[in-house]
């Protein structure tokens, strides 16, 4: 859960102007403690070679940072906002003027939905079911902006997607 201080901050932010709540992500990464990229979703176009370089740079910066330091970093003309959960780093890239706390909230929401969907998610779940992690992310974010804030709705949509896929697989077997 959240601390009471975090709840107060989030409540204040929700009363703020709509622009203050709009966060435009440029990419979303999941990186293991060993530096392996487990998921990468890009919302702004970059050549493949540049993406690899960016992943390497950002991953190294986040992994090398002591845990006690804050989760916000300035990088190039952007801001990196990340959070470590167990053995995975959830890393996002946003514009410098975007709100870090809202971005952390988006990361946390993604983690909570994954956790409920997989029943205590672990790195192996994401390795073997990476497509489902992308489904979840695609339900939360479209074009780098948060689309759905209800975890319940996202879980319902993912479950429906699963049953559609299973129905299709059943028909293929017949």
């Amino acid at each position: 859960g959240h601390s009471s201080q975090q709840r107060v901050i989030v409540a204040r932010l929700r009363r703020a102007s709509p622009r203050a709540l709009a966060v435009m992500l440029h990419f979303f990464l999941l990186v293991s403690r060993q530096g392996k990229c487990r998921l990468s979703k890009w919302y702004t176009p970059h050549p493949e070679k540049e993406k690899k370089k960016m992943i390497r740079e950002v991953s190294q910066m986040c992994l090398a940072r002591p845990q006690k330091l804050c989760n916000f970093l300035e990088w190039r003309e952007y801001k990196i906002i990340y959070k470590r959960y167990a053995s995975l780093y959830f890393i996002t890239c946003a514009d410098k003027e975007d709100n870090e706390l809202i971005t952390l909230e988006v990361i946390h929401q993604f983690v909570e939905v994954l956790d409920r969907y997989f029943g205590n998610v672990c790195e192996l779940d994401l390795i073997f079911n990476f497509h489902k992690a992308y489904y979840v992310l695609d339900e939360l974010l479209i074009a780098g902006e948060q689309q759905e804030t209800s975890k319940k709705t996202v879980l319902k949509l993912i479950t429906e997607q699963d049953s559609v896929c299973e129905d299709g697989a059943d028909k293929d077997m017949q």
Side-chain angles (χ1 to χ4, degrees), residues 25-27 29 54 57-59 61-62 65 70-83 90-96 100 103-104 107:
L25 299 181
H26 295 279
F27 60 77
L29 307 173
M54 291 165 85
E57 269 181 45
V58 169
S59 298
M61 281 172 33
C62 294
R65 236 169 122 75
C70 92
N71 298 25
F72 317 138
L73 294 162
E74 288 198 5
W75 175 72
R76 297 184 183 183
E77 67 271 22
Y78 306 110
K79 195 183 313 186
I80 300 300
I81 298 107
Y82 72 95
K83 182 107 173 96
F90 290 73
I91 304 170
T92 62
C93 175
D95 291 324
K96 279 192 174 160
E100 301 94 343
T103 308
L104 276 177
I107 293 171

Side-chain angles (χ1 to χ4, degrees), residues 113 117 132 135-142 147-165:
V113 172
Y117 179 74
K132 291 184 180 181
Y135 286 159
V136 172
L137 193 56
D138 289 344
E139 291 298 339
L140 290 172
L141 298 169
I142 294 179
Q147 293 303 307
E148 184 53 69
T149 55
S150 164
K151 291 182 277 277
K152 206 177 203 173
T153 301
V154 172
L155 283 164
K156 183 174 164 272
L157 292 167
I158 300 305
T159 308
E160 286 172 7
Q161 177 70 34
D162 282 351
S163 64
V164 167
C165 290

